[in-house]
Amino acid sequence: MPVEQAIATLLSNVKSITEHEDCSVNLACGRILAEPVFAAINVPMNDNSAMDGYAVSIDDLHEQHTFKQIGTSFAGHPFTGQLQAGQCVRIMTGGVLPKGANAVVMQENTQTNGNDITLLKTPHTGENVRYAGEDIAAGQTIFAQGHKLTAVDIGVLCSIGITQVSVLRKLKVALFSTGDELKQPDTPLSAGDIYDSNRPTLHLLLEKMGIDVIDLGVIEDDKAQLYEAVETCDQQADALITSGGVSVGEADFTKEILEQVGKIGFWKLAMKPGKPFAFGQLPNSQFFGLPGNPVSALVTFYQLVVPTLQKMAGMTITPRTRLPAIAREPLRKRPGRSDFQRGVYSVSDTGQIEVRTTGQQGSGILSSIANGNCFILLEQERGNVKTGELVVIEPYDHLLS
Ligand code: AMP
Ligand code: MG
Protein backbone atom coordinates (compact mmCIF):
# COMPACT_ATOMS: atom_id res chain seq x y z
CA MET A 1 0.00 0.00 0.00
CA PRO A 2 1.47 3.38 -0.97
CA VAL A 3 2.14 5.66 2.00
CA GLU A 4 -0.25 8.41 0.83
CA GLN A 5 -3.06 5.87 0.51
CA ALA A 6 -2.29 4.47 3.96
CA ILE A 7 -2.46 7.93 5.56
CA ALA A 8 -5.69 8.77 3.72
CA THR A 9 -7.25 5.47 4.84
CA LEU A 10 -6.22 6.02 8.45
CA LEU A 11 -7.59 9.56 8.51
CA SER A 12 -10.89 8.65 6.91
CA ASN A 13 -11.46 5.84 9.41
CA VAL A 14 -11.16 7.81 12.64
CA LYS A 15 -13.43 10.39 14.23
CA SER A 16 -12.49 13.35 16.38
CA ILE A 17 -13.50 13.27 20.02
CA THR A 18 -16.04 15.88 21.05
CA GLU A 19 -16.11 15.59 24.87
CA HIS A 20 -14.84 18.83 26.31
CA GLU A 21 -14.09 20.43 29.63
CA ASP A 22 -13.40 23.90 30.99
CA CYS A 23 -9.76 24.57 31.67
CA SER A 24 -8.02 27.45 33.39
CA VAL A 25 -5.76 29.23 30.86
CA ASN A 26 -2.78 28.64 33.16
CA LEU A 27 -3.18 24.91 32.57
CA ALA A 28 -4.27 25.09 28.93
CA CYS A 29 -0.88 25.04 27.18
CA GLY A 30 -0.87 22.10 24.76
CA ARG A 31 -4.64 21.62 24.98
CA ILE A 32 -6.93 21.71 21.94
CA LEU A 33 -9.76 24.24 21.75
CA ALA A 34 -13.27 22.76 21.67
CA GLU A 35 -14.69 26.04 20.37
CA PRO A 36 -13.36 29.25 18.79
CA VAL A 37 -12.20 32.07 21.06
CA PHE A 38 -13.39 35.65 20.43
CA ALA A 39 -11.94 38.86 21.81
CA ALA A 40 -14.32 40.89 23.95
CA ILE A 41 -11.97 43.89 24.13
CA ASN A 42 -9.53 45.85 22.02
CA VAL A 43 -5.82 45.24 22.59
CA PRO A 44 -4.51 47.72 23.40
CA MET A 45 -7.66 49.17 24.89
CA ASN A 46 -6.59 52.83 24.33
CA ASP A 47 -4.37 54.72 21.92
CA ASN A 48 -1.06 54.89 23.80
CA SER A 49 2.58 55.79 23.47
CA ALA A 50 5.29 53.50 22.11
CA MET A 51 8.04 55.75 23.51
CA ASP A 52 9.00 57.95 26.42
CA GLY A 53 8.54 61.49 25.12
CA TYR A 54 5.92 64.23 24.60
CA ALA A 55 2.38 63.91 23.25
CA VAL A 56 1.53 66.75 20.85
CA SER A 57 -0.94 67.63 18.12
CA ILE A 58 0.90 67.93 14.82
CA ASP A 59 -1.88 70.29 13.65
CA ASP A 60 -0.13 72.89 15.86
CA LEU A 61 3.23 72.37 14.28
CA HIS A 62 3.07 74.90 11.45
CA GLU A 63 2.78 77.56 14.13
CA GLN A 64 5.41 76.53 16.63
CA HIS A 65 8.03 74.04 17.60
CA THR A 66 7.93 74.92 21.30
CA PHE A 67 5.12 73.58 23.46
CA LYS A 68 4.08 74.10 27.07
CA GLN A 69 4.01 70.91 29.15
CA ILE A 70 0.72 70.78 31.08
CA GLY A 71 0.90 67.33 32.69
CA THR A 72 2.16 63.75 32.56
CA SER A 73 0.64 60.47 31.33
CA PHE A 74 2.18 57.40 32.94
CA ALA A 75 1.34 53.79 32.05
CA GLY A 76 -1.63 53.06 34.29
CA HIS A 77 -2.08 56.75 35.25
CA PRO A 78 -3.56 58.68 32.32
CA PHE A 79 -3.58 62.45 31.95
CA THR A 80 -7.26 63.30 32.08
CA GLY A 81 -7.25 66.80 30.58
CA GLN A 82 -7.49 67.91 26.96
CA LEU A 83 -4.60 69.41 24.97
CA GLN A 84 -5.11 72.94 23.68
CA ALA A 85 -3.10 74.58 20.91
CA GLY A 86 0.55 74.96 21.92
CA GLN A 87 0.37 72.44 24.75
CA CYS A 88 2.01 69.07 25.21
CA VAL A 89 1.96 66.27 27.79
CA ARG A 90 4.97 64.36 29.04
CA ILE A 91 4.18 60.70 28.24
CA MET A 92 5.79 57.36 29.14
CA THR A 93 5.71 54.14 27.13
CA GLY A 94 2.23 52.62 27.53
CA GLY A 95 0.74 55.90 28.78
CA VAL A 96 -2.71 56.71 27.30
CA LEU A 97 -2.52 59.32 24.53
CA PRO A 98 -4.25 62.46 25.90
CA LYS A 99 -7.32 63.88 24.16
CA GLY A 100 -6.23 66.32 21.45
CA ALA A 101 -2.83 64.65 20.81
CA ASN A 102 -2.05 62.66 17.67
CA ALA A 103 1.71 62.02 17.82
CA VAL A 104 4.46 61.33 20.33
CA VAL A 105 7.86 62.92 19.91
CA MET A 106 10.55 60.83 21.48
CA GLN A 107 12.41 62.45 24.34
CA GLU A 108 15.74 62.31 22.47
CA ASN A 109 14.29 64.64 19.78
CA THR A 110 13.34 67.41 22.20
CA GLN A 111 14.99 70.14 24.21
CA THR A 112 13.63 71.06 27.64
CA ASN A 113 13.72 74.44 29.27
CA GLY A 114 11.52 74.31 32.38
CA ASN A 115 8.02 73.65 31.04
CA ASP A 116 8.98 74.70 27.51
CA ILE A 117 9.55 71.72 25.23
CA THR A 118 11.13 72.42 21.84
CA LEU A 119 10.88 69.78 19.12
CA LEU A 120 14.10 69.16 17.23
CA LYS A 121 12.41 66.98 14.62
CA THR A 122 8.99 67.24 13.00
CA PRO A 123 6.84 64.17 13.73
CA HIS A 124 4.16 62.82 11.38
CA THR A 125 0.60 61.96 12.42
CA GLY A 126 0.55 58.79 14.48
CA GLU A 127 4.30 58.75 15.10
CA ASN A 128 5.08 56.52 18.11
CA VAL A 129 1.37 55.97 18.72
CA ARG A 130 0.02 52.47 19.31
CA TYR A 131 -3.63 52.53 18.28
CA ALA A 132 -6.47 50.91 20.21
CA GLY A 133 -7.21 47.46 18.75
CA GLU A 134 -4.12 47.38 16.53
CA ASP A 135 -3.05 44.04 18.01
CA ILE A 136 -6.50 42.52 18.50
CA ALA A 137 -9.84 44.14 17.65
CA ALA A 138 -12.88 43.50 19.85
CA GLY A 139 -15.12 40.86 18.25
CA GLN A 140 -12.29 39.27 16.29
CA THR A 141 -11.81 35.46 16.30
CA ILE A 142 -8.50 34.85 18.02
CA PHE A 143 -8.21 31.09 17.70
CA ALA A 144 -10.29 28.59 15.76
CA GLN A 145 -11.73 25.38 17.14
CA GLY A 146 -9.12 22.62 16.89
CA HIS A 147 -6.24 24.98 17.56
CA LYS A 148 -3.60 23.60 19.92
CA LEU A 149 -2.62 26.27 22.40
CA THR A 150 1.03 27.26 22.72
CA ALA A 151 2.70 29.21 25.53
CA VAL A 152 2.46 32.37 23.40
CA ASP A 153 -1.23 31.70 22.75
CA ILE A 154 -1.78 31.62 26.52
CA GLY A 155 -0.23 35.11 26.62
CA VAL A 156 -2.62 36.26 23.88
CA LEU A 157 -5.58 34.85 25.83
CA CYS A 158 -4.38 36.67 28.94
CA SER A 159 -4.08 39.90 26.90
CA ILE A 160 -7.82 39.77 26.23
CA GLY A 161 -8.63 38.92 29.82
CA ILE A 162 -9.70 35.32 29.27
CA THR A 163 -9.31 33.06 32.30
CA GLN A 164 -11.07 29.86 31.15
CA VAL A 165 -11.26 28.04 27.83
CA SER A 166 -13.26 25.06 26.64
CA VAL A 167 -10.84 22.32 25.58
CA LEU A 168 -11.32 18.82 24.25
CA ARG A 169 -10.61 16.10 26.75
CA LYS A 170 -7.20 14.50 26.41
CA LEU A 171 -6.92 11.48 24.18
CA LYS A 172 -6.06 8.25 26.03
CA VAL A 173 -3.69 5.87 24.32
CA ALA A 174 -2.64 2.44 25.60
CA LEU A 175 0.74 1.06 24.68
CA PHE A 176 2.63 -2.20 24.94
CA SER A 177 5.57 -3.96 23.34
CA THR A 178 5.48 -7.59 22.36
CA GLY A 179 8.33 -10.07 22.26
CA ASP A 180 9.91 -12.66 24.54
CA GLU A 181 13.33 -11.19 23.73
CA LEU A 182 12.53 -7.77 25.20
CA LYS A 183 14.09 -6.94 28.55
CA GLN A 184 14.04 -3.93 30.82
CA PRO A 185 17.28 -1.93 31.04
CA ASP A 186 17.82 -2.90 34.72
CA THR A 187 18.03 -6.63 33.95
CA PRO A 188 20.97 -8.47 32.35
CA LEU A 189 20.57 -9.77 28.81
CA SER A 190 20.69 -13.47 27.92
CA ALA A 191 21.72 -14.60 24.44
CA GLY A 192 19.33 -13.16 21.85
CA ASP A 193 17.74 -10.68 24.23
CA ILE A 194 17.50 -6.96 23.53
CA TYR A 195 16.35 -4.03 25.60
CA ASP A 196 12.92 -2.65 24.79
CA SER A 197 13.61 0.70 23.14
CA ASN A 198 10.36 1.24 21.24
CA ARG A 199 8.08 1.65 24.21
CA PRO A 200 9.97 4.33 26.16
CA THR A 201 10.29 6.49 23.05
CA LEU A 202 6.68 6.01 21.97
CA HIS A 203 5.52 6.71 25.53
CA LEU A 204 7.41 10.03 25.58
CA LEU A 205 6.30 11.04 22.08
CA LEU A 206 2.67 10.42 23.04
CA GLU A 207 3.08 12.49 26.20
CA LYS A 208 4.72 15.24 24.16
CA MET A 209 1.59 15.22 21.99
CA GLY A 210 -0.51 15.93 25.09
CA ILE A 211 -1.93 12.42 25.24
CA ASP A 212 -2.61 10.42 28.43
CA VAL A 213 -0.65 7.18 28.15
CA ILE A 214 -1.57 3.82 29.65
CA ASP A 215 1.64 1.77 29.47
CA LEU A 216 1.29 -1.98 29.96
CA GLY A 217 5.00 -2.71 29.53
CA VAL A 218 6.18 -5.75 27.62
CA ILE A 219 3.72 -8.54 26.87
CA GLU A 220 5.22 -11.93 26.11
CA ASP A 221 4.55 -13.81 22.90
CA ASP A 222 1.76 -15.71 24.61
CA LYS A 223 -1.79 -15.81 23.30
CA ALA A 224 -3.58 -15.66 26.66
CA GLN A 225 -1.51 -12.73 27.88
CA LEU A 226 -1.87 -10.86 24.62
CA TYR A 227 -5.60 -11.41 24.63
CA GLU A 228 -5.93 -10.07 28.14
CA ALA A 229 -3.74 -7.05 27.37
CA VAL A 230 -5.73 -6.17 24.24
CA GLU A 231 -9.02 -6.45 26.16
CA THR A 232 -7.79 -4.27 29.03
CA CYS A 233 -6.52 -1.57 26.66
CA ASP A 234 -9.67 -1.60 24.59
CA GLN A 235 -11.75 -0.97 27.72
CA GLN A 236 -9.58 1.89 28.96
CA ALA A 237 -8.28 3.81 25.96
CA ASP A 238 -9.28 5.53 22.72
CA ALA A 239 -6.48 3.77 20.89
CA LEU A 240 -4.04 0.93 21.38
CA ILE A 241 -0.54 1.01 19.93
CA THR A 242 1.65 -2.07 19.95
CA SER A 243 5.05 -2.72 18.46
CA GLY A 244 6.24 -6.05 17.15
CA GLY A 245 4.40 -9.20 16.24
CA VAL A 246 2.58 -7.91 13.16
CA SER A 247 4.75 -9.57 10.53
CA VAL A 248 4.58 -13.20 9.45
CA GLY A 249 6.95 -14.80 11.97
CA GLU A 250 5.91 -17.88 13.90
CA ALA A 251 5.68 -16.04 17.22
CA ASP A 252 3.69 -13.14 15.75
CA PHE A 253 0.51 -13.85 17.70
CA THR A 254 -0.67 -10.25 17.80
CA LYS A 255 -2.25 -10.85 14.43
CA GLU A 256 -4.21 -13.92 15.52
CA ILE A 257 -5.47 -12.30 18.72
CA LEU A 258 -6.51 -9.11 17.01
CA GLU A 259 -8.41 -10.94 14.33
CA GLN A 260 -10.42 -12.58 17.13
CA VAL A 261 -11.14 -9.33 18.93
CA GLY A 262 -11.60 -6.76 16.18
CA LYS A 263 -11.60 -5.91 12.49
CA ILE A 264 -7.97 -5.33 11.60
CA GLY A 265 -6.20 -4.84 8.28
CA PHE A 266 -2.62 -6.05 7.96
CA TRP A 267 -0.88 -3.89 5.43
CA LYS A 268 2.34 -4.22 3.53
CA LEU A 269 3.34 -0.59 3.25
CA ALA A 270 5.34 0.48 0.19
CA MET A 271 7.55 2.34 2.62
CA LYS A 272 11.10 1.91 3.85
CA PRO A 273 11.54 1.52 6.73
CA GLY A 274 8.26 0.13 7.94
CA LYS A 275 6.75 -2.58 5.80
CA PRO A 276 4.33 -4.45 8.11
CA PHE A 277 1.68 -2.27 9.73
CA ALA A 278 -1.70 -3.11 11.18
CA PHE A 279 -4.70 -0.87 11.61
CA GLY A 280 -8.28 -1.43 12.54
CA GLN A 281 -11.16 -1.26 14.89
CA LEU A 282 -11.40 -2.98 18.27
CA PRO A 283 -14.82 -3.02 19.99
CA ASN A 284 -14.18 0.35 21.73
CA SER A 285 -10.95 1.71 20.30
CA GLN A 286 -8.66 2.06 17.30
CA PHE A 287 -5.72 -0.26 16.89
CA PHE A 288 -2.31 0.62 15.46
CA GLY A 289 0.18 -2.23 15.14
CA LEU A 290 3.68 -0.93 14.51
CA PRO A 291 6.51 -3.09 13.19
CA GLY A 292 8.99 -4.29 15.82
CA ASN A 293 12.16 -2.97 14.23
CA PRO A 294 12.94 0.27 16.07
CA VAL A 295 13.40 2.52 13.02
CA SER A 296 10.32 1.08 11.34
CA ALA A 297 8.28 1.49 14.52
CA LEU A 298 9.22 5.13 14.97
CA VAL A 299 8.98 6.16 11.32
CA THR A 300 5.54 4.58 10.85
CA PHE A 301 4.42 6.12 14.13
CA TYR A 302 5.66 9.57 13.12
CA GLN A 303 4.44 9.51 9.53
CA LEU A 304 1.16 7.60 9.85
CA VAL A 305 0.00 7.42 13.45
CA VAL A 306 0.79 10.98 14.61
CA PRO A 307 -1.55 12.71 12.11
CA THR A 308 -4.24 10.10 12.81
CA LEU A 309 -4.02 10.64 16.57
CA GLN A 310 -4.06 14.40 15.99
CA LYS A 311 -7.32 14.02 14.11
CA MET A 312 -8.74 11.79 16.86
CA ALA A 313 -7.72 14.39 19.45
CA GLY A 314 -9.69 17.02 17.49
CA MET A 315 -6.63 18.99 16.45
CA THR A 316 -6.40 20.84 13.16
CA ILE A 317 -3.62 19.08 11.28
CA THR A 318 -1.00 21.22 9.58
CA PRO A 319 1.25 19.42 7.09
CA ARG A 320 4.91 19.21 8.03
CA THR A 321 7.36 21.48 6.25
CA ARG A 322 9.04 19.93 3.21
CA LEU A 323 11.96 21.64 1.51
CA PRO A 324 14.12 21.03 -1.55
CA ALA A 325 17.74 20.25 -0.73
CA ILE A 326 20.88 19.31 -2.62
CA ALA A 327 22.29 15.88 -1.78
CA ARG A 328 25.91 16.39 -0.76
CA GLU A 329 26.59 12.64 -0.84
CA PRO A 330 25.24 9.75 -2.93
CA LEU A 331 22.19 8.02 -1.40
CA ARG A 332 21.43 4.35 -2.00
CA LYS A 333 17.83 3.70 -2.98
CA ARG A 334 16.05 0.85 -4.71
CA PRO A 335 12.90 1.64 -6.70
CA GLY A 336 9.62 0.18 -5.41
CA ARG A 337 9.07 1.74 -1.98
CA SER A 338 9.05 5.32 -0.65
CA ASP A 339 12.15 5.83 1.47
CA PHE A 340 12.19 7.91 4.62
CA GLN A 341 15.96 8.05 5.03
CA ARG A 342 17.48 10.03 7.86
CA GLY A 343 19.76 12.92 7.12
CA VAL A 344 21.49 15.97 8.48
CA TYR A 345 20.62 19.17 6.67
CA SER A 346 22.34 22.51 6.87
CA VAL A 347 22.33 25.80 5.00
CA SER A 348 25.44 26.75 3.00
CA ASP A 349 27.08 30.20 2.95
CA THR A 350 25.15 30.96 -0.24
CA GLY A 351 21.80 30.02 1.33
CA GLN A 352 21.49 26.61 -0.31
CA ILE A 353 19.92 23.83 1.79
CA GLU A 354 22.16 20.77 1.69
CA VAL A 355 21.71 17.31 3.12
CA ARG A 356 23.95 14.40 4.05
CA THR A 357 22.97 10.91 5.12
CA THR A 358 23.28 9.76 8.74
CA GLY A 359 24.94 6.63 7.37
CA GLN A 360 23.59 3.10 7.57
CA GLN A 361 19.83 3.10 7.06
CA GLY A 362 18.87 -0.39 8.31
CA SER A 363 15.55 -0.69 10.14
CA GLY A 364 17.35 -1.77 13.32
CA ILE A 365 19.73 1.22 13.42
CA LEU A 366 17.97 3.50 15.84
CA SER A 367 20.95 5.86 16.08
CA SER A 368 20.26 6.78 12.44
CA ILE A 369 17.22 8.73 13.68
CA ALA A 370 18.92 10.11 16.78
CA ASN A 371 21.89 11.40 14.72
CA GLY A 372 19.73 13.14 12.12
CA ASN A 373 17.69 16.33 11.97
CA CYS A 374 15.47 15.50 8.99
CA PHE A 375 13.96 12.82 6.83
CA ILE A 376 15.10 12.57 3.23
CA LEU A 377 11.99 11.61 1.29
CA LEU A 378 12.85 9.56 -1.77
CA GLU A 379 9.95 8.85 -4.09
CA GLN A 380 8.70 5.29 -4.64
CA GLU A 381 10.06 4.88 -8.20
CA ARG A 382 13.35 6.68 -7.60
CA GLY A 383 16.68 4.83 -7.74
CA ASN A 384 20.12 5.79 -6.41
CA VAL A 385 20.69 9.51 -5.83
CA LYS A 386 23.95 11.07 -7.05
CA THR A 387 25.78 13.90 -5.32
CA GLY A 388 24.30 17.22 -6.45
CA GLU A 389 20.80 15.87 -7.17
CA LEU A 390 17.78 17.60 -5.70
CA VAL A 391 15.85 15.74 -2.98
CA VAL A 392 12.98 16.63 -0.66
CA ILE A 393 13.69 16.86 3.05
CA GLU A 394 11.34 17.09 5.99
CA PRO A 395 13.03 18.69 9.03
CA TYR A 396 12.12 16.92 12.29
CA ASP A 397 9.25 18.75 13.95
CA HIS A 398 9.07 19.51 17.68
CA LEU A 399 8.22 15.88 18.44
CA LEU A 400 11.57 14.55 17.29
CA SER A 401 13.72 17.53 18.20
P1 AMP B 1 8.81 -8.50 15.20
O1 AMP B 1 8.02 -7.51 14.41
O2 AMP B 1 8.16 -8.83 16.49
O3 AMP B 1 9.13 -9.70 14.38
O4 AMP B 1 10.19 -7.79 15.55
C1 AMP B 1 11.08 -7.38 14.52
C2 AMP B 1 12.41 -6.97 15.13
O5 AMP B 1 12.24 -5.84 15.99
C3 AMP B 1 13.05 -8.06 16.00
O6 AMP B 1 14.44 -8.00 15.78
C4 AMP B 1 12.70 -7.60 17.39
O7 AMP B 1 13.62 -8.08 18.35
C5 AMP B 1 12.75 -6.09 17.28
N1 AMP B 1 11.89 -5.48 18.26
C6 AMP B 1 10.60 -5.81 18.50
N2 AMP B 1 10.07 -5.07 19.48
C7 AMP B 1 11.06 -4.22 19.89
C8 AMP B 1 11.15 -3.23 20.90
N3 AMP B 1 10.09 -2.94 21.66
N4 AMP B 1 12.31 -2.56 21.06
C9 AMP B 1 13.37 -2.86 20.27
N5 AMP B 1 13.35 -3.79 19.31
C10 AMP B 1 12.22 -4.49 19.11
MG1 MG C 1 8.32 -10.17 17.95
Side-chain angles (χ1 to χ4, degrees):
M1 185 184 294
V3 183
E4 298 73 28
Q5 189 188 333
I7 295 173
T9 307
L10 291 171
L11 289 176
S12 64
N13 274 284
V14 297
K15 283 200 189 68
S16 302
I17 52 171
T18 53
E19 296 127 281
H20 49 86
E21 58 202 30
D22 283 341
C23 181
S24 152
V25 288
N26 305 318
L27 302 173
C29 189
R31 302 297 300 268
I32 298 159
L33 287 173
E35 49 190 45
V37 176
F38 302 97
I41 58 166
N42 279 322
V43 179
M45 199 167 72
N46 304 100
D47 296 350
N48 68 87
S49 178
M51 289 282 175
D52 295 327
Y54 295 89
V56 297
S57 167
I58 68 141
D59 308 329
D60 284 351
L61 275 179
H62 53 274
E63 286 157 25
Q64 60 209 349
H65 272 72
T66 298
F67 292 79
K68 273 261 176 300
Q69 186 190 328
I70 56 159
T72 307
S73 177
F74 291 99
H77 301 282
F79 173 80
T80 48
Q82 158 107 34
L83 283 194
Q84 306 297 336
Q87 297 180 335
C88 70
V89 161
R90 175 101 173 96
I91 194 165
M92 309 303 164
T93 304
V96 173
L97 197 71
K99 285 197 198 81
N102 58 14
V104 172
V105 184
M106 61 193 267
Q107 193 167 302
E108 291 82 342
N109 292 339
T110 61
Q111 221 166 41
T112 314
N113 180 8
N115 275 342
D116 287 340
I117 314 298
T118 303
L119 310 190
L120 304 177
K121 255 186 170 174
T122 310
H124 57 80
T125 310
E127 189 159 318
N128 298 321
V129 175
R130 304 193 288 213
Y131 287 105
E134 74 173 18
D135 181 1
I136 294 167
Q140 188 186 326
T141 308
I142 306 300
F143 300 118
Q145 177 191 339
H147 177 77
K148 187 175 186 172
L149 294 168
T150 66
V152 176
D153 297 340
I154 301 301
V156 172
L157 290 173
C158 290
S159 80
I160 53 172
I162 286 187
T163 55
Q164 293 254 315
V165 280
S166 177
V167 296
L168 294 167
R169 76 156 167 84
K170 285 189 176 186
L171 206 63
K172 255 192 221 143
V173 173
L175 176 68
F176 64 79
S177 298
T178 67
D180 288 351
E181 76 280 25
L182 299 180
K183 295 290 176 307
Q184 297 312 309
D186 56 357
T187 52
L189 295 178
S190 306
D193 287 349
I194 55 168
Y195 291 122
D196 177 9
S197 60
N198 290 346
R199 195 171 46 88
T201 301
L202 292 168
H203 189 132
L204 289 165
L205 293 176
L206 289 164
E207 282 185 343
K208 222 169 165 183
M209 291 174 69
I211 288 170
D212 281 336
V213 184
I214 303 168
D215 190 333
L216 271 72
V218 177
I219 308 294
E220 287 172 27
D221 291 317
D222 171 88
K223 288 185 198 175
Q225 287 186 42
L226 278 168
Y227 187 86
E228 203 193 312
V230 170
E231 285 243 292
T232 307
C233 295
D234 183 45
Q235 279 157 20
Q236 295 183 12
D238 300 297
L240 165 60
I241 299 175
T242 65
S243 74
V246 289
S247 50
V248 292
E250 287 187 4
D252 292 338
F253 298 130
T254 317
K255 189 167 178 175
E256 192 180 323
I257 301 302
L258 286 162
E259 275 168 340
Q260 279 173 33
V261 181
K263 265 180 63 186
I264 312 293
F266 292 86
W267 300 346
K268 282 200 170 84
L269 298 173
M271 164 176 192
K272 195 178 171 202
K275 201 169 177 188
F277 182 89
F279 169 70
Q281 183 73 52
L282 299 174
N284 303 303
S285 62
Q286 298 294 336
F287 174 76
F288 302 91
L290 308 179
N293 281 307
V295 179
S296 311
L298 292 187
V299 174
T300 51
F301 175 78
Y302 185 76
Q303 296 292 343
L304 276 66
V305 182
V306 168
T308 311
L309 291 177
Q310 286 174 335
K311 178 173 177 194
M312 289 178 71
M315 181 182 153
T316 306
I317 304 171
T318 41
R320 296 193 175 110
T321 304
R322 292 184 173 181
L323 303 166
I326 300 284
R328 277 288 162 243
E329 307 176 320
L331 304 169
R332 290 176 55 168
K333 162 82 169 71
R334 254 180 291 169
R337 293 203 262 163
S338 302
D339 270 23
F340 291 79
Q341 300 197 6
R342 281 76 61 208
V344 178
Y345 79 94
S346 55
V347 182
S348 74
D349 295 345
T350 58
Q352 175 63 55
I353 304 172
E354 308 178 328
V355 67
R356 290 168 197 278
T357 176
T358 55
Q360 284 194 73
Q361 296 288 312
S363 60
I365 300 182
L366 186 54
S367 57
S368 69
I369 304 184
N371 295 338
N373 63 7
C374 70
F375 288 103
I376 308 171
L377 310 187
L378 301 176
E379 303 79 359
Q380 195 159 331
E381 290 321 317
R382 195 158 181 176
N384 287 333
V385 174
K386 294 194 201 73
T387 301
E389 273 185 43
L390 207 58
V391 293
V392 173
I393 63 160
E394 191 182 80
Y396 290 172
D397 72 8
H398 71 285
L399 273 184
L400 289 185
S401 327

